[in-house]
Amino acid sequence: MTDLARPDRAEVLEMLAAFGQRAAEDVPDELGSLELTWLIAEFEQRYGIEADLDDEQFESVRTVDDAVAVFRAAVLAAAGPDAGPDAVADRPAETLADATGAPRS
């Protein structure tokens, strides 16, 4: 896993497209709970990382962008503290903290 910023929106849309057997451009932005459950399982299988969301975090993921933030936070957390703040450069730190449930600094 050389690119810690992944998965990106395009990859999440690709995963969701496979779930619904449709083109990525046909995937709606809003996620249902079944789609999200499948998406989490697909992410965990592809990346070998457990997303480990509690009920509140799971319920807060409503859109593709929410899922991207959660998955990027999981990748960053799995990379460890030495990954540095630039590992997920296009996500604000507060978004990552919210996604992982970690306290904000």
Side-chain angles (χ1 to χ4, degrees):
M1 190 171 14
T2 58
D3 183 0
L4 290 178
R6 292 186 66 81
D8 59 13
R9 182 177 170 81
E11 185 173 0
V12 170
L13 287 171
E14 173 196 314
M15 286 189 268
L16 286 166
F19 173 70
Q21 297 177 339
R22 56 194 164 190
E25 58 269 6
D26 294 334
V27 174
D29 192 52
E30 298 287 320
L31 299 175
S33 60
L34 183 58
E35 285 177 313
L36 179 56
T37 300
W38 185 89
L39 184 60
I40 290 169
E42 181 68 15
F43 165 79
E44 291 177 344
Q45 182 177 358
R46 281 189 185 196
Y47 283 82
I49 298 171
E50 187 174 337
D52 197 27
L53 303 177
D54 64 27
D55 289 343
E56 186 176 311
Q57 291 168 321
F58 181 87
E59 291 173 10
S60 72
V61 179
R62 295 285 177 218
T63 67
V64 170
D65 289 336
D66 293 341
V68 170
V70 166
F71 295 154
R72 286 184 173 191
V75 169
L76 185 61
D82 295 333
D86 295 329
V88 186
D90 64 339
R91 300 304 295 180
E94 62 269 14
T95 302
L96 292 172
D98 289 345
T100 62
R104 294 181 187 187
S105 52

